[in-house]
Amino acid sequence: MRHIRSFTAVLLTFISLSFCTGAYAQKFTELAQTPPMGWNTWNKFKCRINEDLIRATADAMVTTGMKDAGYEYVNIDDCWHGERSLLGFIQPDPKRFPSGMKALADYVHSKGLKLGIYSDAGKTTCAGYPGSQGFEDQDAAMYAHWGIDYVKYDWCDTRGLDAKTAYTKMRDAIYKTGRPMVFSICEWGSNNPTQWAPEIGHAWRTTSDIYQCWDCYLGDPKTAALSVLQILDLQTGLRDFAGPGRWNDMDMLEVGNGISDSQGRAHFTLWAMMNSPLITGNDLRNMSAATLSTLTNRAVIALNQDKLGIQALRVLRDGDIEIFAKPLAGGDWAIAFLNRGRQARTYSFNWVEQDIVDKLSKRELRFSKMIYQWQELWSNTKGSTAKKFDQVIPAEDVIVYRLTPSKH
Ligand code: GLA
């Protein structure tokens, strides 16, 4: 009886949507004013997912303190799908999700969290499950009925489709349901998304998939899985397109998935500095203390969640050392020193000789004119830019400062 009632509700929503297809549609512009934060099943679990994992992860997000640190979305990636009903309505796999998606969303919401789901613009998803092509309105109506808050939309099996058109179709379908859902575009940066995605989605992937490696080369960077540093290097030229409600998505985090603690710290800091969504991809039920403390470093998270929403710029590269700067709300800046290499490096940086000018935010750092107080966000040490930076930057690690102008 319950199933019949809920099925009728979706059917009615869907029929009413079919009558207003001419309605003005857009994305939900109030969402993702800062980069979305959450967790996703794919990096760690691939298709080994079920409702118990989602519930336990939601529990862990609360008990570990991750929710308090800002994580909100619990996102189910590929492989949740069962078959479509005779009328074309998508259903979850009854073995993996026997209680159904609505019950799962209710549970996740009861924890003060939000539930995300995954689909694909083509006929099948990347793992071969039913995609949304031809079923966009019906799928969006079903997600809204279940209480979904976030839709990641992939790009497999889309030969012959135009990306902007296909993503607009799903954006409109979501909008017409009336339920605000973050729309996360996942076409791997392969159709110039910066030219159209900011109007359509809240974030767009900039590269092909990440995998658990700091600096590895596995073939063609356009199609192969990419390591942390390769993804970082592919962000050149993208920062002008991002801002509140529209983010360059550098893919989900691999912190805690087999990279070292220092690599994880640097990976996390860089994704935060670049305003990428911070979607963790490890097993939250079972994390080391180091992984948890990396993922919940509130001072680093605050760089990512800064209201100004300006992505970091690369200031210089000097061998394995790279420096990134990020203007922050209220006159502060963040400066990160990355050591890409396998050797610790002693590095000197005389602040007062440096000028950093950011054309995008029209902000400047002129250390000869203004002294800044700094706090290093992993060690909590403090100092000022009046004194030269002369430091060991550990191998495959990062030092990141928050600079605050000194009061005169
Ligand atoms: C693509 C996406 C990944 C993941 C998988 C699922 O590769 O880029 O993030 O969603 O599909 O099959």
Side-chain angles (χ1 to χ4, degrees):
M1 189 60 191
R2 197 161 52 92
H3 287 301
I4 295 175
R5 267 209 305 274
S6 83
F7 172 74
T8 313
V10 188
L11 194 58
L12 289 175
T13 319
F14 174 62
I15 290 169
S16 62
L17 285 179
S18 314
F19 281 114
C20 25
T21 40
Y24 171 71
Q26 56 177 43
K27 70 179 190 184
F28 284 96
T29 50
E30 73 281 11
L31 297 178
Q33 291 304 296
T34 58
M37 291 177 65
W39 171 85
N40 174 294
T41 48
W42 185 255
N43 283 3
K44 176 77 185 176
F45 297 99
K46 301 285 186 284
C47 287
R48 300 180 308 277
I49 59 171
N50 59 39
E51 63 183 41
D52 294 341
L53 171 68
I54 306 302
R55 282 170 195 257
T57 299
D59 293 348
M61 207 177 254
V62 176
T63 55
T64 55
M66 288 193 56
K67 177 183 173 220
D68 286 344
Y71 295 90
E72 186 178 22
Y73 293 100
V74 177
N75 292 349
I76 308 170
D77 208 279
D78 208 345
C79 308
W80 62 266
H81 317 71
E83 301 199 336
R84 290 189 182 278
S85 71
L86 285 177
L87 288 176
F89 289 99
I90 190 68
Q91 297 301 324
D93 178 330
K95 287 211 187 71
R96 289 178 168 141
F97 295 89
S99 316
M101 285 298 176
K102 191 161 170 40
L104 192 54
D106 288 348
Y107 184 81
V108 170
H109 293 155
S110 77
K111 299 270 156 186
L113 299 168
K114 296 185 165 156
L115 187 65
I117 215 160
Y118 161 102
S119 189
D120 187 289
K123 285 206 162 33
T124 55
T125 70
C126 297
Y129 290 88
S132 290
Q133 190 182 345
F135 295 92
E136 292 85 355
D137 284 326
Q138 236 173 316
D139 285 358
M142 190 57 109
Y143 302 158
H145 170 68
W146 287 338
I148 297 295
D149 307 289
Y150 185 116
V151 179
K152 171 175 168 181
Y153 207 49
D154 215 337
W155 189 240
C156 278
D157 200 8
T158 51
R159 201 185 307 180
L161 289 187
D162 169 64
K164 181 178 177 189
T165 312
Y167 281 95
T168 303
K169 212 177 223 179
M170 194 53 164
R171 173 201 70 177
D172 294 355
I174 290 172
Y175 192 73
K176 283 184 277 170
T177 69
R179 182 177 176 85
M181 295 182 239
V182 170
F183 189 37
S184 162
I185 292 173
C186 179
E187 53 72 79
W188 323 304
S190 53
N191 301 272
N192 279 324
T194 52
Q195 300 308 306
W196 47 269
E199 297 301 311
I200 296 172
H202 300 94
W204 53 89
R205 282 274 299 278
T206 56
T207 66
S208 52
D209 293 1
I210 195 167
Y211 79 110
Q212 303 93 313
C213 185
W214 171 248
D215 187 11
C216 312
Y217 292 87
L218 265 191
D220 178 2
K222 284 220 168 80
T223 50
L226 300 172
S227 64
V228 169
L229 289 185
Q230 283 179 294
I231 291 184
L232 179 68
D233 292 346
L234 288 166
Q235 305 308 307
T236 309
L238 301 182
R239 69 188 288 266
D240 291 9
F241 303 98
R246 50 191 165 89
W247 308 106
N248 287 306
D249 179 352
M250 294 165 72
D251 205 0
M252 298 156 319
L253 296 161
E254 293 287 13
V255 179
N257 278 346
I259 60 176
S260 75
D261 292 340
S262 72
Q263 292 169 348
R265 192 160 50 232
H267 171 27
F268 189 69
T269 306
L270 292 162
W271 266 229
M273 290 283 287
M274 301 296 278
N275 283 350
S276 177
L278 294 180
I279 308 292
T280 55
N282 59 315
D283 186 348
L284 301 192
R285 302 165 307 176
N286 184 16
M287 308 183 249
S288 70
T291 294
L292 179 61
S293 82
T294 295
L295 295 176
T296 53
N297 183 322
R298 287 170 188 238
V300 173
I301 291 171
L303 308 180
N304 180 262
Q305 297 293 301
D306 183 78
K307 294 284 173 283
L308 206 57
I310 301 278
Q311 184 173 323
L313 71 146
R314 188 165 83 175
V315 176
L316 71 80
R317 174 147 186 199
D318 173 2
D320 278 335
I321 303 297
E322 270 183 281
I323 303 179
F324 294 86
K326 183 182 200 299
L328 300 171
D332 284 11
W333 284 75
I335 309 267
F337 293 79
L338 166 70
N339 182 355
R340 304 167 61 107
R342 294 204 179 142
Q343 307 294 327
R345 266 275 302 270
T346 304
Y347 198 73
S348 269
F349 186 79
N350 195 359
W351 300 97
V352 296
E353 288 166 7
Q354 311 295 328
D355 284 338
I356 298 174
V357 177
D358 175 24
K359 291 200 190 108
L360 177 62
S361 63
K362 304 194 176 51
R363 294 260 306 268
E364 320 186 323
L365 264 175
R366 296 199 189 275
F367 293 106
S368 54
K369 301 214 174 95
M370 165 83 79
I371 291 174
Y372 288 78
Q373 302 303 313
W374 56 251
Q375 183 181 3
E376 202 288 317
L377 306 181
W378 291 107
S379 61
N380 273 324
T381 48
K382 295 193 164 108
S384 111
T385 57
K387 201 167 160 240
K388 197 171 162 191
F389 168 102
D390 221 340
Q391 286 239 25
V392 174
I393 310 178
E396 300 177 335
D397 207 338
V398 80
I399 292 179
V400 58
Y401 297 100
R402 185 175 184 118
L403 308 180
T404 305
S406 296
K407 305 251 176 328
H408 289 290

mmCIF file of all heavy atoms in Angstrom, residues 42-43 77-79 118 125-127 152 154 156 186 188 205 208-209 251-252, ligand 1:
data_model
loop_
_atom_site.group_PDB
_atom_site.id
_atom_site.type_symbol
_atom_site.label_atom_id
_atom_site.label_comp_id
_atom_site.label_asym_id
_atom_site.label_seq_id
_atom_site.Cartn_x
_atom_site.Cartn_y
_atom_site.Cartn_z
ATOM 1 N N TRP A 42 32.643 6.287 -4.394
ATOM 2 C CA TRP A 42 33.375 5.681 -5.511
ATOM 3 C C TRP A 42 34.842 5.362 -5.234
ATOM 4 O O TRP A 42 35.303 4.243 -5.486
ATOM 5 C CB TRP A 42 33.246 6.558 -6.763
ATOM 6 C CG TRP A 42 33.879 5.912 -7.950
ATOM 7 C CD1 TRP A 42 35.066 6.243 -8.540
ATOM 8 C CD2 TRP A 42 33.379 4.775 -8.669
ATOM 9 N NE1 TRP A 42 35.319 5.394 -9.584
ATOM 10 C CE2 TRP A 42 34.315 4.485 -9.685
ATOM 11 C CE3 TRP A 42 32.227 3.973 -8.551
ATOM 12 C CZ2 TRP A 42 34.125 3.437 -10.590
ATOM 13 C CZ3 TRP A 42 32.057 2.927 -9.448
ATOM 14 C CH2 TRP A 42 32.990 2.670 -10.440
ATOM 15 N N ASN A 43 35.617 6.337 -4.740
ATOM 16 C CA ASN A 43 37.069 6.127 -4.672
ATOM 17 C C ASN A 43 37.434 4.875 -3.884
ATOM 18 O O ASN A 43 38.316 4.126 -4.276
ATOM 19 C CB ASN A 43 37.762 7.346 -4.048
ATOM 20 C CG ASN A 43 37.879 8.495 -5.037
ATOM 21 O OD1 ASN A 43 37.395 8.397 -6.170
ATOM 22 N ND2 ASN A 43 38.497 9.586 -4.627
ATOM 23 N N ASP A 77 27.533 6.962 -5.416
ATOM 24 C CA ASP A 77 27.996 7.048 -6.804
ATOM 25 C C ASP A 77 27.386 5.902 -7.599
ATOM 26 O O ASP A 77 26.301 5.393 -7.273
ATOM 27 C CB ASP A 77 29.540 7.048 -6.825
ATOM 28 C CG ASP A 77 30.126 7.772 -8.025
ATOM 29 O OD1 ASP A 77 30.180 7.157 -9.114
ATOM 30 O OD2 ASP A 77 30.517 8.950 -7.904
ATOM 31 N N ASP A 78 28.055 5.478 -8.630
ATOM 32 C CA ASP A 78 27.547 4.473 -9.571
ATOM 33 C C ASP A 78 27.188 3.160 -8.852
ATOM 34 O O ASP A 78 27.706 2.886 -7.770
ATOM 35 C CB ASP A 78 28.647 4.218 -10.615
ATOM 36 C CG ASP A 78 28.084 3.783 -11.961
ATOM 37 O OD1 ASP A 78 26.894 3.404 -12.022
ATOM 38 O OD2 ASP A 78 28.836 3.831 -12.942
ATOM 39 N N CYS A 79 26.317 2.380 -9.500
ATOM 40 C CA CYS A 79 26.016 0.994 -9.116
ATOM 41 C C CYS A 79 24.874 0.865 -8.100
ATOM 42 O O CYS A 79 24.657 -0.229 -7.572
ATOM 43 C CB CYS A 79 27.232 0.245 -8.587
ATOM 44 S SG CYS A 79 28.657 0.316 -9.688
ATOM 45 N N TYR A 118 23.765 9.525 -8.095
ATOM 46 C CA TYR A 118 24.558 9.602 -9.319
ATOM 47 C C TYR A 118 23.745 9.110 -10.495
ATOM 48 O O TYR A 118 23.004 8.120 -10.382
ATOM 49 C CB TYR A 118 25.782 8.703 -9.106
ATOM 50 C CG TYR A 118 26.506 8.259 -10.354
ATOM 51 C CD1 TYR A 118 27.702 8.880 -10.740
ATOM 52 C CD2 TYR A 118 26.032 7.205 -11.131
ATOM 53 C CE1 TYR A 118 28.387 8.463 -11.865
ATOM 54 C CE2 TYR A 118 26.710 6.787 -12.263
ATOM 55 C CZ TYR A 118 27.894 7.414 -12.627
ATOM 56 O OH TYR A 118 28.566 7.004 -13.743
ATOM 57 N N THR A 125 25.347 4.120 -17.427
ATOM 58 C CA THR A 125 26.372 4.767 -16.603
ATOM 59 C C THR A 125 27.741 4.158 -16.948
ATOM 60 O O THR A 125 27.812 3.175 -17.693
ATOM 61 C CB THR A 125 26.105 4.526 -15.103
ATOM 62 O OG1 THR A 125 26.351 3.140 -14.814
ATOM 63 C CG2 THR A 125 24.679 4.889 -14.717
ATOM 64 N N CYS A 126 28.779 4.697 -16.331
ATOM 65 C CA CYS A 126 30.121 4.184 -16.630
ATOM 66 C C CYS A 126 30.269 2.724 -16.196
ATOM 67 O O CYS A 126 31.072 1.983 -16.755
ATOM 68 C CB CYS A 126 31.180 5.065 -15.986
ATOM 69 S SG CYS A 126 31.164 6.744 -16.652
ATOM 70 N N ALA A 127 29.501 2.304 -15.202
ATOM 71 C CA ALA A 127 29.582 0.900 -14.776
ATOM 72 C C ALA A 127 28.493 0.053 -15.450
ATOM 73 O O ALA A 127 28.298 -1.111 -15.088
ATOM 74 C CB ALA A 127 29.470 0.807 -13.256
ATOM 75 N N LYS A 152 25.093 13.962 -9.029
ATOM 76 C CA LYS A 152 26.305 13.938 -9.859
ATOM 77 C C LYS A 152 25.922 13.294 -11.183
ATOM 78 O O LYS A 152 25.308 12.221 -11.197
ATOM 79 C CB LYS A 152 27.384 13.116 -9.146
ATOM 80 C CG LYS A 152 28.612 12.836 -10.016
ATOM 81 C CD LYS A 152 29.685 12.113 -9.192
ATOM 82 C CE LYS A 152 30.800 11.569 -10.092
ATOM 83 N NZ LYS A 152 31.821 10.843 -9.319
ATOM 84 N N ASP A 154 27.133 11.974 -14.870
ATOM 85 C CA ASP A 154 28.327 11.500 -15.568
ATOM 86 C C ASP A 154 28.138 11.538 -17.089
ATOM 87 O O ASP A 154 27.068 11.910 -17.592
ATOM 88 C CB ASP A 154 28.635 10.070 -15.068
ATOM 89 C CG ASP A 154 30.118 9.782 -14.983
ATOM 90 O OD1 ASP A 154 30.904 10.449 -15.668
ATOM 91 O OD2 ASP A 154 30.488 8.859 -14.230
ATOM 92 N N CYS A 156 29.310 8.894 -19.515
ATOM 93 C CA CYS A 156 29.609 7.688 -20.297
ATOM 94 C C CYS A 156 28.475 7.402 -21.276
ATOM 95 O O CYS A 156 27.331 7.833 -21.085
ATOM 96 C CB CYS A 156 29.802 6.492 -19.355
ATOM 97 S SG CYS A 156 31.467 6.458 -18.664
ATOM 98 N N CYS A 186 29.896 16.045 -14.479
ATOM 99 C CA CYS A 186 31.064 15.154 -14.495
ATOM 100 C C CYS A 186 31.333 14.703 -15.923
ATOM 101 O O CYS A 186 31.019 13.574 -16.274
ATOM 102 C CB CYS A 186 30.787 13.973 -13.553
ATOM 103 S SG CYS A 186 32.097 12.753 -13.477
ATOM 104 N N TRP A 188 34.444 15.371 -17.162
ATOM 105 C CA TRP A 188 35.900 15.244 -17.109
ATOM 106 C C TRP A 188 36.638 16.386 -17.818
ATOM 107 O O TRP A 188 37.775 16.224 -18.272
ATOM 108 C CB TRP A 188 36.340 13.880 -17.681
ATOM 109 C CG TRP A 188 35.410 12.770 -17.336
ATOM 110 C CD1 TRP A 188 35.037 12.403 -16.078
ATOM 111 C CD2 TRP A 188 34.688 11.916 -18.234
ATOM 112 N NE1 TRP A 188 34.146 11.355 -16.145
ATOM 113 C CE2 TRP A 188 33.914 11.035 -17.445
ATOM 114 C CE3 TRP A 188 34.639 11.797 -19.619
ATOM 115 C CZ2 TRP A 188 33.086 10.061 -17.996
ATOM 116 C CZ3 TRP A 188 33.821 10.829 -20.185
ATOM 117 C CH2 TRP A 188 33.050 9.976 -19.377
ATOM 118 N N ARG A 205 33.639 18.828 -13.182
ATOM 119 C CA ARG A 205 34.930 18.163 -13.155
ATOM 120 C C ARG A 205 35.836 18.785 -14.213
ATOM 121 O O ARG A 205 35.381 19.116 -15.305
ATOM 122 C CB ARG A 205 34.741 16.666 -13.393
ATOM 123 C CG ARG A 205 34.240 15.916 -12.148
ATOM 124 C CD ARG A 205 35.398 15.501 -11.259
ATOM 125 N NE ARG A 205 36.238 14.609 -12.023
ATOM 126 C CZ ARG A 205 35.989 13.303 -12.175
ATOM 127 N NH1 ARG A 205 34.982 12.734 -11.556
ATOM 128 N NH2 ARG A 205 36.776 12.554 -12.919
ATOM 129 N N SER A 208 39.927 13.893 -16.023
ATOM 130 C CA SER A 208 39.497 12.510 -15.808
ATOM 131 C C SER A 208 39.778 12.107 -14.357
ATOM 132 O O SER A 208 40.236 12.919 -13.555
ATOM 133 C CB SER A 208 40.147 11.568 -16.821
ATOM 134 O OG SER A 208 41.533 11.738 -16.835
ATOM 135 N N ASP A 209 39.494 10.859 -14.033
ATOM 136 C CA ASP A 209 39.417 10.459 -12.617
ATOM 137 C C ASP A 209 40.761 10.476 -11.877
ATOM 138 O O ASP A 209 41.797 10.135 -12.423
ATOM 139 C CB ASP A 209 38.862 9.034 -12.510
ATOM 140 C CG ASP A 209 37.416 8.970 -12.956
ATOM 141 O OD1 ASP A 209 36.865 10.003 -13.364
ATOM 142 O OD2 ASP A 209 36.849 7.862 -12.900
ATOM 143 N N ASP A 251 37.973 16.614 -8.517
ATOM 144 C CA ASP A 251 37.621 15.211 -8.222
ATOM 145 C C ASP A 251 37.740 14.939 -6.718
ATOM 146 O O ASP A 251 38.273 15.727 -5.950
ATOM 147 C CB ASP A 251 38.436 14.211 -9.053
ATOM 148 C CG ASP A 251 37.694 12.878 -9.217
ATOM 149 O OD1 ASP A 251 36.560 12.744 -8.688
ATOM 150 O OD2 ASP A 251 38.240 11.974 -9.863
ATOM 151 N N MET A 252 37.230 13.773 -6.356
ATOM 152 C CA MET A 252 37.095 13.434 -4.942
ATOM 153 C C MET A 252 38.458 13.136 -4.320
ATOM 154 O O MET A 252 39.397 12.765 -5.009
ATOM 155 C CB MET A 252 36.154 12.242 -4.824
ATOM 156 C CG MET A 252 34.791 12.632 -5.361
ATOM 157 S SD MET A 252 33.697 11.367 -5.969
ATOM 158 C CE MET A 252 34.571 10.222 -6.871
HETATM 159 C C1 GLA B 1 33.346 8.027 -13.982
HETATM 160 C C2 GLA B 1 33.427 9.213 -13.017
HETATM 161 C C3 GLA B 1 33.854 8.715 -11.653
HETATM 162 C C4 GLA B 1 32.843 7.682 -11.152
HETATM 163 C C5 GLA B 1 32.721 6.554 -12.153
HETATM 164 C C6 GLA B 1 31.580 5.605 -11.824
HETATM 165 O O1 GLA B 1 34.597 7.465 -14.212
HETATM 166 O O2 GLA B 1 34.327 10.164 -13.497
HETATM 167 O O3 GLA B 1 33.944 9.786 -10.735
HETATM 168 O O4 GLA B 1 31.595 8.318 -10.973
HETATM 169 O O5 GLA B 1 32.471 7.040 -13.469
HETATM 170 O O6 GLA B 1 31.429 4.583 -12.742
#
